[in-house]
Amino acid sequence: MKGNKGVRYVLLLAVALAAASVQAQGSDTGDFSASSAPSAKEVRAANRILRKAVLRTLSRTRGLNVDRVVVVAKGGSILLEGYVPESNQIDLATSAAQAVPGVTMVTNRLIVRAEGL
């Protein structure tokens, strides 16, 4: 499944970042290998995968209209911005996004605005 593949990439990135952090904290020699940290390209790719996973989950959530919702992913943090037609959809979007593997924090800036406005 494509969805599981994306989740694996995100989890692999999280493990790699955690390992690099542990190595950096435990190293007294100051010798850091550039290959231990993910490249900017790998970080962007992981962010894209996580963003798509969150969008997919939001679009499949019953009772949630994501036509005017924008998702931004940075690390494990997710930012939800845009408009929803009913106030109960704000909490629904937050809980759906938090349920996606790899998401560590959700910032919700959704606003209620009736459709057509």
Side-chain angles (χ1 to χ4, degrees), residues 29-83:
T29 63
D31 183 25
F32 295 102
S33 172
S35 64
S36 66
S39 68
K41 184 176 180 178
E42 292 168 332
V43 170
R44 285 191 306 271
N47 286 338
R48 274 193 306 275
I49 290 168
L50 184 58
R51 178 184 169 274
K52 287 180 182 181
V54 170
L55 276 172
R56 188 178 320 108
T57 299
L58 292 177
S59 67
R60 292 179 180 172
T61 301
R62 289 182 186 244
L64 181 59
N65 182 344
V66 295
D67 291 342
R68 297 184 290 165
V69 174
V70 176
V71 177
V72 178
K74 187 171 184 179
S77 298
I78 298 295
L79 171 64
L80 301 175
E81 288 187 312
Y83 305 100

Side-chain angles (χ1 to χ4, degrees), residues 1 6-7 19 23 31-32 35-36 39 46 76-77 82 85-86 88 100 107:
M1 277 186 180
V7 171
Q23 178 185 5
D31 183 25
F32 295 102
S35 64
S36 66
S39 68
S77 298
E86 299 172 0
N88 66 333
V100 175
T107 301

